[in-house]
Amino acid sequence: MFQIHEKKLKNIKAIGERVFLTKDEVSESVGGIILLTKEEHNLPPYTGTIICVGHKVEDPDYQPGVRVLFHDLAGFEFEFEGQKIYNIRERDIAAIVEKNVTIE
């Protein structure tokens, strides 16, 4: 899956402390409404896979193919060559998610 993203991003590159990633699918209700946490006032955390990092990203663990946890309000989404790309700052990443771990 990552090789597809790498190919699509050959003409665009993250700069500075920016990280480009693709968001994982979000759980939704039957009506298409995003489910809230039990307190019903916080949005759930989001996970995604890094596809590109800027030259000022300091954490060497943030590499293409790494899955991370972040909050949806941390950045913005744009479309490039038919691919939805999410752009966040390095500091907005909360954790690295190990393989086969599900965050709800």
Side-chain angles (χ1 to χ4, degrees):
M1 184 168 100
F2 171 68
Q3 292 157 346
I4 293 170
H5 299 305
E6 186 175 358
K7 182 178 178 185
K8 286 194 176 270
L9 287 181
K10 66 182 178 179
N11 295 322
I12 190 169
K13 174 178 155 178
I15 61 171
E17 64 165 12
R18 292 303 202 171
V19 176
F20 290 175
L21 52 88
T22 56
K23 288 197 307 189
D24 294 339
E25 291 295 317
V26 178
S27 298
E28 295 183 351
S29 72
V30 176
I33 299 171
I34 296 173
L35 300 174
L36 299 176
T37 62
K38 291 179 182 177
E39 295 83 29
E40 296 189 14
H41 59 83
N42 294 320
L43 290 172
Y46 288 87
T47 57
T49 303
I50 295 175
I51 54 176
C52 184
V53 295
H55 67 282
K56 289 188 179 179
V57 171
E58 295 179 3
D59 193 322
D61 292 331
Y62 298 160
Q63 296 294 320
V66 172
R67 198 162 155 246
V68 294
L69 175 73
F70 61 97
H71 193 279
D72 189 43
L73 299 177
F76 64 91
E77 188 174 75
F78 65 95
E79 191 167 320
F80 180 73
E81 295 182 352
Q83 177 74 38
K84 287 186 179 182
I85 307 295
Y86 203 71
N87 176 353
I88 63 174
R89 291 182 179 96
E90 176 185 18
R91 68 176 180 239
D92 294 327
I93 295 174
I96 292 176
V97 180
E98 297 295 326
K99 292 181 181 183
N100 302 321
V101 172
T102 301
I103 306 287
E104 293 182 31

XYZ file of all heavy atoms in Angstrom:
839
model
N 0.828 -1.198 0.000
C 0.000 0.000 0.000
C 0.867 1.254 0.000
O 0.598 2.193 -0.707
C -0.925 -0.013 1.205
C -1.875 1.155 1.210
S -3.177 0.980 2.412
C -2.526 1.995 3.698
N 1.940 1.306 0.754
C 2.762 2.503 0.841
C 3.407 2.845 -0.494
O 3.565 3.998 -0.833
C 3.828 2.353 1.921
C 4.832 3.465 1.891
C 4.453 4.747 2.223
C 6.120 3.249 1.466
C 5.348 5.785 2.156
C 7.020 4.275 1.403
C 6.633 5.538 1.756
N 3.768 1.855 -1.273
C 4.439 2.124 -2.540
C 3.562 2.966 -3.458
O 4.059 3.794 -4.200
C 4.820 0.802 -3.196
C 5.887 0.095 -2.400
C 5.908 -1.395 -2.669
O 4.995 -1.953 -3.247
N 6.962 -2.042 -2.221
N 2.264 2.791 -3.383
C 1.341 3.599 -4.180
C 1.450 5.065 -3.765
O 1.552 5.950 -4.589
C -0.112 3.103 -4.009
C -0.248 1.712 -4.620
C -1.096 4.076 -4.643
C -1.544 1.026 -4.297
N 1.469 5.325 -2.445
C 1.566 6.701 -1.951
C 2.892 7.338 -2.373
O 2.933 8.482 -2.774
C 1.454 6.745 -0.431
C 0.160 6.218 0.080
N -1.058 6.709 -0.335
C -0.112 5.248 0.967
C -2.019 6.055 0.281
N -1.476 5.165 1.067
N 3.972 6.592 -2.272
C 5.281 7.116 -2.631
C 5.294 7.545 -4.095
O 5.803 8.598 -4.444
C 6.340 6.045 -2.369
C 7.751 6.525 -2.565
C 8.750 5.464 -2.187
O 8.364 4.383 -1.734
O 9.945 5.732 -2.363
N 4.710 6.741 -4.948
C 4.654 7.057 -6.371
C 3.829 8.317 -6.608
O 4.208 9.180 -7.373
C 4.056 5.876 -7.139
C 3.997 6.088 -8.623
C 3.440 4.865 -9.307
C 3.334 5.096 -10.801
N 2.694 3.984 -11.475
N 2.690 8.454 -5.923
C 1.807 9.600 -6.112
C 2.418 10.895 -5.589
O 2.049 11.954 -6.010
C 0.455 9.351 -5.454
C -0.395 8.369 -6.218
C -1.801 8.408 -5.732
C -2.672 7.524 -6.537
N -3.291 8.162 -7.675
N 3.353 10.812 -4.644
C 3.927 12.024 -4.061
C 5.289 12.383 -4.646
O 6.027 13.130 -4.058
C 4.030 11.875 -2.538
C 2.714 11.944 -1.797
C 2.925 11.812 -0.305
C 1.974 13.219 -2.096
N 5.603 11.869 -5.809
C 6.916 12.175 -6.372
C 7.035 13.642 -6.772
O 8.134 14.157 -6.886
C 7.234 11.255 -7.539
C 6.343 11.437 -8.749
C 6.706 10.461 -9.837
C 5.758 10.630 -11.005
N 6.082 9.714 -12.081
N 5.923 14.355 -6.960
C 5.969 15.753 -7.382
C 5.616 16.734 -6.273
O 5.507 17.926 -6.530
C 5.010 15.976 -8.555
C 5.435 15.218 -9.784
O 6.622 15.112 -10.061
N 4.491 14.666 -10.510
N 5.420 16.247 -5.061
C 5.106 17.118 -3.928
C 5.834 16.574 -2.712
O 5.968 15.369 -2.550
C 3.580 17.210 -3.699
C 3.264 18.292 -2.679
C 2.995 15.879 -3.315
C 1.774 18.612 -2.596
N 6.328 17.485 -1.861
C 7.175 17.075 -0.754
C 6.878 17.937 0.464
O 6.722 19.155 0.346
C 8.621 17.240 -1.208
C 9.664 17.019 -0.203
C 11.022 17.175 -0.883
C 12.065 17.554 0.123
N 13.392 17.667 -0.457
N 6.802 17.320 1.634
C 6.611 18.069 2.883
C 7.870 18.890 3.162
O 8.977 18.453 2.870
C 6.346 17.102 4.035
N 7.677 20.090 3.731
C 8.823 20.925 4.084
C 8.794 21.231 5.571
O 7.775 21.050 6.244
C 8.861 22.231 3.265
C 7.606 23.067 3.538
C 9.015 21.942 1.787
C 7.673 24.467 2.932
N 9.915 21.731 6.086
C 9.993 22.127 7.487
C 9.652 20.986 8.423
O 10.111 19.867 8.254
N 8.803 21.289 9.402
C 8.417 20.287 10.402
C 7.111 19.584 10.034
O 6.474 18.969 10.867
C 8.281 20.944 11.768
C 7.185 21.962 11.825
C 6.795 22.376 13.237
O 7.508 22.046 14.175
O 5.747 23.015 13.369
N 6.724 19.657 8.781
C 5.461 19.064 8.327
C 5.589 17.578 8.057
O 6.638 17.091 7.625
C 4.957 19.754 7.067
C 4.517 21.170 7.283
C 3.454 21.218 8.320
N 2.659 22.421 8.211
C 1.568 22.614 8.901
N 1.114 21.691 9.705
N 0.900 23.719 8.795
N 4.492 16.871 8.313
C 4.392 15.441 8.047
C 3.143 15.219 7.207
O 2.063 15.681 7.568
C 4.290 14.642 9.371
C 4.088 13.164 9.103
C 5.518 14.874 10.245
N 3.275 14.542 6.086
C 2.133 14.175 5.259
C 1.791 12.723 5.567
O 2.671 11.881 5.699
C 2.450 14.287 3.773
C 2.616 15.689 3.253
C 3.007 15.895 1.951
C 2.382 16.805 4.044
C 3.168 17.179 1.437
C 2.532 18.090 3.547
C 2.925 18.270 2.242
N 0.499 12.450 5.677
C 0.062 11.089 5.954
C -1.297 10.834 5.358
O -1.975 11.754 4.907
C 0.058 10.814 7.459
C -0.683 11.791 8.385
C -2.133 11.398 8.538
C -0.021 11.805 9.731
N -1.676 9.583 5.332
C -3.025 9.193 4.940
C -3.726 8.734 6.204
O -3.138 8.026 7.024
C -3.027 8.061 3.901
O -2.297 6.955 4.403
C -2.428 8.521 2.594
N -4.962 9.179 6.371
C -5.724 8.800 7.559
C -6.332 7.421 7.372
O -6.778 7.070 6.287
C -6.849 9.796 7.832
C -6.364 11.111 8.348
C -7.407 11.961 9.010
C -8.659 12.237 8.257
N -9.497 13.246 8.903
N -6.354 6.655 8.467
C -7.055 5.379 8.468
C -8.547 5.656 8.465
O -8.991 6.759 8.804
C -6.679 4.560 9.709
C -5.214 4.140 9.703
O -4.591 4.119 8.626
O -4.699 3.841 10.797
N -9.323 4.664 8.112
C -10.782 4.792 8.117
C -11.270 5.088 9.538
O -10.763 4.543 10.503
C -11.435 3.508 7.620
C -11.197 3.247 6.149
C -11.845 4.286 5.252
O -13.003 4.677 5.510
O -11.182 4.710 4.295
N -12.299 5.949 9.645
C -12.881 6.343 10.924
C -14.187 5.593 11.116
O -14.981 5.477 10.181
C -13.150 7.868 10.948
C -13.806 8.284 12.248
C -11.866 8.618 10.720
N -14.420 5.090 12.341
C -15.687 4.417 12.631
C -16.821 5.423 12.537
O -16.738 6.526 13.058
C -15.668 3.835 14.042
O -14.660 2.885 14.159
N -17.880 5.048 11.849
C -19.038 5.917 11.707
C -20.286 5.132 12.050
O -20.313 3.915 11.991
C -19.151 6.435 10.273
C -18.009 7.340 9.873
C -18.186 7.904 8.477
O -19.095 7.459 7.771
O -17.411 8.779 8.109
N -21.334 5.846 12.394
C -22.612 5.197 12.658
C -23.294 4.907 11.327
O -22.817 5.278 10.270
C -23.493 6.105 13.522
O -23.935 7.193 12.741
N -24.463 4.299 11.393
C -25.209 3.967 10.183
C -25.536 5.224 9.387
O -25.503 5.236 8.168
C -26.499 3.199 10.547
C -27.340 2.931 9.306
C -26.151 1.897 11.247
N -25.793 6.339 10.059
C -26.146 7.582 9.391
C -24.955 8.368 8.887
O -25.104 9.456 8.354
N -23.742 7.866 9.074
C -22.556 8.558 8.596
C -22.020 9.597 9.561
O -21.167 10.388 9.212
N -22.500 9.600 10.797
C -22.035 10.545 11.804
C -20.863 9.931 12.554
O -20.918 8.782 12.973
C -23.162 10.907 12.789
C -24.309 11.571 12.024
C -22.641 11.810 13.904
C -25.550 11.777 12.853
N -19.799 10.699 12.742
C -18.640 10.206 13.472
C -19.035 9.970 14.929
O -19.628 10.837 15.571
C -17.463 11.196 13.386
C -16.999 11.320 11.928
C -16.318 10.774 14.285
C -15.963 12.371 11.698
N -18.690 8.798 15.436
C -19.018 8.460 16.810
C -18.123 9.230 17.772
O -16.920 9.327 17.575
C -18.856 6.952 17.029
C -19.733 6.079 16.141
C -19.375 4.618 16.357
C -21.196 6.312 16.434
N -18.707 9.755 18.838
C -17.951 10.494 19.842
C -17.500 9.557 20.952
O -17.958 8.427 21.059
C -18.823 11.611 20.425
C -19.301 12.653 19.413
C -20.227 13.644 20.092
C -18.143 13.365 18.781
N -16.622 10.068 21.830
C -16.186 9.269 22.967
C -17.326 9.142 23.956
O -18.379 9.758 23.811
C -14.993 9.941 23.667
O -15.425 11.208 24.166
C -13.821 10.120 22.715
N -17.110 8.380 25.021
C -18.152 8.154 26.016
C -18.617 9.464 26.666
O -19.751 9.602 27.051
C -17.656 7.183 27.078
C -17.473 5.785 26.532
C -16.967 4.841 27.586
C -16.754 3.468 26.962
N -16.194 2.523 27.890
N -17.710 10.425 26.796
C -18.080 11.711 27.380
C -18.903 12.545 26.409
O -19.470 13.556 26.767
C -16.826 12.501 27.779
C -16.018 11.853 28.871
C -15.072 10.782 28.325
O -14.618 10.883 27.170
O -14.805 9.816 29.056
N -18.939 12.159 25.148
C -19.687 12.787 24.071
C -19.330 14.253 23.824
O -20.142 15.026 23.370
C -21.190 12.619 24.287
C -21.609 11.157 24.225
C -23.106 10.980 24.225
O -23.830 11.954 24.006
O -23.535 9.847 24.429
N -18.098 14.629 24.138
C -17.685 15.986 23.820
C -16.290 16.029 23.203
O -15.821 17.082 22.831
C -17.738 16.896 25.058
C -16.879 16.435 26.189
N -15.550 16.708 26.254
C -17.172 15.705 27.280
C -15.049 16.177 27.361
N -16.005 15.565 27.988
N -15.635 14.906 23.050
C -14.323 14.857 22.424
C -14.382 14.028 21.160
O -15.040 12.995 21.122
C -13.293 14.216 23.362
C -13.034 15.062 24.581
O -12.960 16.274 24.489
N -12.894 14.423 25.718
N -13.695 14.466 20.140
C -13.580 13.653 18.940
C -12.613 12.510 19.220
O -11.691 12.659 20.015
C -13.060 14.498 17.780
C -14.018 15.545 17.248
C -13.300 16.428 16.235
C -15.233 14.913 16.618
N -12.788 11.380 18.561
C -11.874 10.262 18.792
C -10.497 10.570 18.217
O -10.368 11.421 17.329
C -12.538 9.119 18.024
C -13.326 9.791 16.956
C -13.805 11.083 17.560
N -9.472 9.891 18.707
C -8.151 10.072 18.101
C -8.139 9.446 16.718
O -8.938 8.569 16.413
C -7.229 9.310 19.055
C -8.104 8.285 19.685
C -9.465 8.916 19.786
N -7.253 9.906 15.881
C -7.131 9.387 14.531
C -5.771 8.734 14.355
O -4.794 9.134 14.988
C -7.294 10.507 13.500
C -8.710 10.980 13.401
C -9.189 11.969 14.251
C -9.583 10.422 12.484
C -10.504 12.396 14.169
C -10.897 10.844 12.392
C -11.347 11.828 13.245
O -12.644 12.247 13.159
N -5.716 7.769 13.480
C -4.453 7.144 13.127
C -4.259 7.297 11.625
O -5.209 7.476 10.870
C -4.431 5.648 13.491
O -5.511 4.985 12.843
C -4.514 5.443 14.996
N -3.008 7.249 11.235
C -2.688 7.342 9.829
C -1.277 6.851 9.575
O -0.510 6.626 10.510
N -0.947 6.716 8.315
C 0.369 6.234 7.926
C 1.158 7.359 7.265
O 0.670 8.003 6.331
C 0.234 5.052 6.940
O -0.538 4.037 7.574
C 1.598 4.492 6.565
N 2.352 7.602 7.773
C 3.217 8.659 7.242
C 3.632 8.300 5.821
O 4.027 7.167 5.547
C 4.465 8.846 8.127
C 4.065 9.349 9.518
C 5.467 9.796 7.464
C 5.216 9.447 10.497
N 3.554 9.296 4.936
C 4.007 9.083 3.560
C 5.158 10.005 3.176
O 5.865 9.737 2.220
C 2.847 9.212 2.550
C 2.118 10.528 2.705
C 1.900 8.053 2.681
C 1.028 10.750 1.681
N 5.356 11.088 3.950
C 6.436 12.020 3.635
C 6.709 12.888 4.867
O 5.766 13.291 5.546
C 6.010 12.889 2.454
S 7.267 14.017 1.872
N 7.981 13.179 5.149
C 8.334 14.057 6.276
C 9.210 15.200 5.780
O 10.015 15.029 4.860
C 9.056 13.288 7.409
C 8.159 12.264 8.037
C 10.327 12.639 6.923
N 9.037 16.363 6.393
C 9.842 17.528 6.042
C 11.258 17.423 6.582
O 11.549 16.632 7.477
N 12.139 18.259 6.062
C 13.559 18.210 6.415
C 13.860 18.651 7.849
O 14.933 18.359 8.363
C 14.379 19.033 5.416
C 14.120 20.506 5.482
N 12.997 21.078 4.909
C 14.815 21.507 6.052
C 13.034 22.388 5.129
N 14.121 22.665 5.816
N 12.921 19.335 8.520
C 13.147 19.768 9.904
C 12.492 18.848 10.938
O 12.520 19.152 12.124
C 12.649 21.199 10.098
C 13.504 22.225 9.399
C 13.078 23.625 9.777
C 13.964 24.646 9.091
N 13.563 26.020 9.417
N 11.914 17.747 10.503
C 11.338 16.786 11.448
C 12.501 16.163 12.202
O 13.418 15.596 11.602
C 10.495 15.714 10.721
C 10.079 14.607 11.667
C 9.271 16.373 10.095
N 12.476 16.300 13.546
C 13.610 15.879 14.364
C 13.575 14.420 14.797
O 14.615 13.813 14.979
C 13.710 16.781 15.592
C 14.028 18.218 15.231
C 14.114 19.122 16.443
O 13.992 18.625 17.580
O 14.309 20.330 16.240
N 12.387 13.859 14.988
C 12.299 12.482 15.476
C 12.621 11.506 14.349
O 11.892 11.430 13.360
C 10.907 12.200 16.025
C 10.837 10.921 16.821
O 11.502 9.935 16.434
O 10.124 10.882 17.841
N 13.708 10.739 14.479
C 14.086 9.813 13.409
C 13.104 8.646 13.235
O 13.150 7.951 12.221
C 15.463 9.302 13.844
C 15.480 9.471 15.327
C 14.634 10.689 15.606
N 12.218 8.438 14.205
C 11.224 7.368 14.094
C 10.094 7.729 13.136
O 9.344 6.859 12.704
C 10.628 7.030 15.465
C 11.639 6.383 16.394
O 12.562 5.707 15.889
O 11.505 6.542 17.624
N 9.926 8.999 12.822
C 8.872 9.430 11.902
C 9.365 9.269 10.471
O 9.994 10.155 9.899
C 8.472 10.874 12.168
C 7.899 11.128 13.536
C 7.885 12.401 14.071
C 7.369 10.111 14.306
C 7.352 12.653 15.325
C 6.844 10.345 15.566
C 6.838 11.622 16.064
O 6.317 11.863 17.303
N 9.088 8.114 9.919
C 9.525 7.755 8.579
C 8.331 7.272 7.760
O 7.337 6.808 8.329
C 10.575 6.635 8.650
C 11.854 7.031 9.345
C 12.620 8.088 8.578
O 12.701 8.056 7.348
N 13.189 9.049 9.290
N 8.398 7.346 6.449
C 7.323 6.806 5.618
C 7.028 5.348 5.977
O 7.940 4.561 6.211
C 7.885 6.935 4.202
C 8.808 8.109 4.289
C 9.448 7.987 5.643
N 5.735 5.052 6.060
C 5.300 3.702 6.404
C 4.977 3.507 7.876
O 4.377 2.520 8.255
N 5.351 4.473 8.738
C 5.086 4.380 10.170
C 3.668 4.863 10.456
O 3.239 5.900 9.947
C 6.118 5.215 10.977
C 5.737 5.293 12.439
C 7.501 4.634 10.810
N 2.947 4.118 11.278
C 1.574 4.482 11.648
C 1.608 5.293 12.942
O 2.289 4.916 13.896
C 0.756 3.200 11.835
C -0.707 3.427 11.791
C -1.455 2.119 11.541
N -2.779 2.264 12.065
C -3.270 1.588 13.084
N -2.568 0.658 13.672
N -4.482 1.821 13.508
N 0.876 6.416 12.976
C 0.909 7.320 14.129
C -0.501 7.674 14.597
O -1.480 7.511 13.866
C 1.692 8.617 13.799
C 3.156 8.314 13.549
C 1.092 9.354 12.622
N -0.574 8.192 15.815
C -1.812 8.651 16.442
C -1.771 10.171 16.515
O -0.751 10.755 16.899
C -1.916 8.060 17.849
C -3.082 8.496 18.719
C -4.369 7.849 18.213
C -2.827 8.072 20.153
N -2.879 10.836 16.151
C -2.934 12.297 16.186
C -4.389 12.722 16.331
O -5.301 11.925 16.172
C -2.322 12.902 14.908
C -3.040 12.501 13.652
C -3.984 13.327 13.088
C -2.787 11.281 13.049
C -4.663 12.961 11.933
C -3.449 10.904 11.892
C -4.399 11.745 11.351
N -4.619 13.992 16.638
C -5.971 14.528 16.762
C -6.374 15.155 15.434
O -5.568 15.805 14.769
C -6.043 15.569 17.873
C -7.447 15.921 18.232
N -8.201 16.805 17.506
C -8.242 15.462 19.215
C -9.407 16.900 18.041
N -9.451 16.094 19.079
N -7.616 14.975 15.046
C -8.102 15.441 13.748
C -7.986 16.953 13.565
O -7.845 17.428 12.451
C -9.555 15.007 13.553
C -10.046 15.275 12.137
O -9.273 15.006 11.196
O -11.172 15.745 11.981
N -8.022 17.731 14.621
C -7.950 19.183 14.497
C -6.517 19.692 14.352
O -6.286 20.880 14.293
C -8.619 19.839 15.713
C -10.098 19.511 15.887
C -10.639 20.151 17.155
C -10.902 19.941 14.675
N -5.560 18.774 14.270
C -4.153 19.148 14.254
C -3.673 19.690 12.912
O -2.670 20.366 12.860
C -3.299 17.941 14.648
N -4.341 19.423 11.836
C -3.829 19.845 10.536
C -4.942 20.052 9.537
O -6.068 20.356 9.902
N -4.613 19.879 8.278
C -5.625 20.027 7.239
C -5.420 18.962 6.172
O -4.341 18.392 6.029
C -5.603 21.433 6.625
C -4.331 21.775 5.904
C -4.196 21.518 4.548
C -3.280 22.363 6.581
C -3.030 21.844 3.879
C -2.112 22.690 5.917
C -1.983 22.433 4.558
N -6.484 18.736 5.423
C -6.468 17.725 4.381
C -6.507 18.410 3.015
O -7.152 19.429 2.846
C -7.690 16.824 4.555
C -7.723 15.614 3.655
C -8.893 14.704 3.994
O -10.030 15.069 3.646
O -8.657 13.667 4.615
N -5.796 17.834 2.052
C -5.861 18.319 0.684
C -5.822 17.114 -0.251
O -5.457 16.013 0.153
C -4.730 19.304 0.370
C -3.344 18.715 0.408
C -2.740 18.268 -0.757
C -2.651 18.621 1.604
C -1.462 17.731 -0.724
C -1.365 18.090 1.645
C -0.770 17.647 0.480
N -6.220 17.326 -1.480
C -6.208 16.249 -2.457
C -5.125 16.527 -3.486
O -4.991 17.650 -3.974
C -7.565 16.113 -3.135
C -7.677 14.862 -3.963
C -9.101 14.561 -4.383
O -10.019 14.746 -3.577
O -9.271 14.143 -5.542
N -4.337 15.502 -3.782
C -3.267 15.620 -4.761
C -3.293 14.385 -5.644
O -3.171 13.268 -5.163
C -1.908 15.752 -4.067
C -0.762 15.877 -5.022
C -0.570 17.049 -5.731
C 0.112 14.828 -5.204
C 0.488 17.170 -6.618
C 1.174 14.940 -6.091
C 1.369 16.109 -6.798
N -3.500 14.590 -6.931
C -3.561 13.506 -7.913
C -4.517 12.389 -7.474
O -4.196 11.210 -7.549
C -2.168 12.950 -8.181
C -1.247 13.948 -8.845
C 0.134 13.384 -9.150
O 0.447 12.262 -8.719
O 0.904 14.092 -9.810
N -5.689 12.793 -6.970
C -6.711 11.837 -6.575
C -6.505 11.189 -5.218
O -7.303 10.362 -4.786
N -5.454 11.546 -4.508
C -5.148 10.962 -3.197
C -5.409 12.004 -2.103
O -4.932 13.134 -2.204
C -3.677 10.541 -3.158
C -3.206 9.990 -1.847
C -3.728 8.598 -1.605
O -3.827 7.795 -2.517
N -4.055 8.309 -0.379
N -6.171 11.645 -1.060
C -6.376 12.547 0.067
C -5.156 12.480 0.978
O -4.792 11.420 1.472
C -7.629 12.173 0.844
C -8.894 12.516 0.105
C -10.100 12.278 0.957
C -11.349 12.671 0.177
N -12.551 12.500 0.986
N -4.524 13.624 1.177
C -3.322 13.734 1.991
C -3.644 14.606 3.195
O -4.285 15.652 3.060
C -2.157 14.389 1.194
C -1.923 13.678 -0.134
C -0.897 14.466 2.039
C -1.453 12.265 -0.018
N -3.192 14.197 4.375
C -3.399 14.968 5.588
C -2.058 15.561 5.996
O -1.042 14.867 6.021
C -3.962 14.059 6.684
C -4.698 14.820 7.741
C -5.936 15.399 7.484
C -4.154 14.983 8.998
C -6.607 16.113 8.456
C -4.827 15.693 9.976
C -6.047 16.254 9.694
O -6.711 16.962 10.650
N -2.036 16.857 6.301
C -0.818 17.593 6.601
C -0.852 18.033 8.058
O -1.747 18.774 8.456
C -0.751 18.805 5.667
C 0.410 19.707 5.930
O 1.156 19.563 6.878
N 0.563 20.693 5.059
N 0.106 17.573 8.872
C 0.182 17.976 10.278
C 1.609 18.385 10.622
O 2.538 18.116 9.867
C -0.283 16.853 11.240
C 0.618 15.627 11.135
C -1.737 16.482 10.984
C 0.308 14.548 12.163
N 1.767 19.041 11.762
C 3.098 19.373 12.266
C 3.635 18.175 13.054
O 2.880 17.402 13.615
C 3.032 20.586 13.181
C 2.712 21.863 12.467
C 2.723 23.017 13.465
N 2.432 24.247 12.802
C 1.221 24.811 12.738
N 0.196 24.223 13.313
N 1.047 25.939 12.107
N 4.934 18.087 13.122
C 5.566 16.999 13.887
C 5.064 16.975 15.323
O 4.760 15.920 15.868
C 7.092 17.174 13.863
C 7.824 16.147 14.715
C 9.316 16.386 14.785
O 9.781 17.514 14.479
O 10.017 15.432 15.144
N 4.913 18.124 15.933
C 4.510 18.183 17.348
C 3.073 17.711 17.588
O 2.679 17.473 18.717
C 4.700 19.590 17.894
C 3.754 20.615 17.308
C 3.952 21.972 17.968
N 3.041 22.928 17.402
C 3.413 24.042 16.793
N 4.687 24.341 16.682
N 2.516 24.862 16.305
N 2.270 17.599 16.519
C 0.888 17.148 16.659
C 0.751 15.626 16.690
O -0.334 15.109 16.882
C 0.027 17.723 15.535
C -0.094 19.238 15.647
O -0.109 19.746 16.778
O -0.180 19.901 14.604
N 1.848 14.916 16.484
C 1.822 13.463 16.576
C 1.912 13.087 18.047
O 2.817 13.518 18.760
C 2.979 12.831 15.779
C 2.806 13.128 14.288
C 3.044 11.319 16.034
C 3.959 12.686 13.421
N 0.953 12.279 18.503
C 0.901 11.896 19.917
C 1.642 10.596 20.204
O 2.173 10.411 21.296
C -0.550 11.764 20.369
N 1.667 9.673 19.242
C 2.286 8.371 19.490
C 2.511 7.634 18.181
O 1.848 7.897 17.180
C 1.392 7.522 20.382
N 3.447 6.702 18.231
C 3.629 5.743 17.149
C 2.781 4.528 17.508
O 2.814 4.063 18.650
C 5.101 5.366 16.968
C 5.876 6.574 16.442
C 5.241 4.165 16.036
C 7.356 6.351 16.324
N 2.006 4.036 16.556
C 1.133 2.894 16.795
C 1.808 1.641 16.244
O 2.142 1.595 15.061
C -0.243 3.111 16.115
C -1.158 1.924 16.360
C -0.891 4.401 16.612
N 1.990 0.668 17.106
C 2.607 -0.587 16.686
C 1.709 -1.327 15.712
O 0.483 -1.137 15.709
C 2.882 -1.473 17.908
C 3.869 -0.862 18.892
C 5.257 -0.711 18.320
O 5.681 -1.556 17.500
O 5.945 0.257 18.693
N 2.262 -2.182 14.893
C 1.500 -2.958 13.930
C 0.456 -3.811 14.627
O 0.668 -4.272 15.752
C 2.436 -3.867 13.123
C 3.348 -3.103 12.206
C 4.222 -4.021 11.417
C 5.138 -3.170 10.535
N 5.961 -3.971 9.684
N -0.663 -3.990 13.973
C -1.768 -4.826 14.443
C -2.440 -4.297 15.716
O -3.096 -5.062 16.427
C -1.322 -6.279 14.650
C -0.770 -6.882 13.382
O -1.287 -6.629 12.302
N 0.285 -7.657 13.506
N -2.262 -3.018 16.048
C -2.933 -2.414 17.205
C -4.100 -1.595 16.701
O -3.974 -0.814 15.757
C -1.966 -1.503 18.011
C -2.693 -0.734 19.081
C -0.839 -2.331 18.612
N -5.280 -1.773 17.343
C -6.473 -1.042 16.964
C -6.741 0.023 18.017
O -6.771 -0.263 19.204
C -7.676 -1.984 16.873
O -7.370 -2.998 15.907
C -8.922 -1.236 16.447
N -6.943 1.259 17.586
C -7.263 2.378 18.467
C -8.735 2.707 18.271
O -9.180 2.920 17.147
C -6.414 3.628 18.131
C -4.931 3.318 18.130
C -6.773 4.774 19.058
C -4.326 3.104 19.481
N -9.511 2.744 19.346
C -10.935 3.079 19.242
C -11.271 4.259 20.113
O -10.705 4.516 21.095
C -11.781 1.883 19.670
C -11.634 0.733 18.708
C -12.500 -0.436 19.072
O -13.579 -0.224 19.633
O -12.100 -1.564 18.787
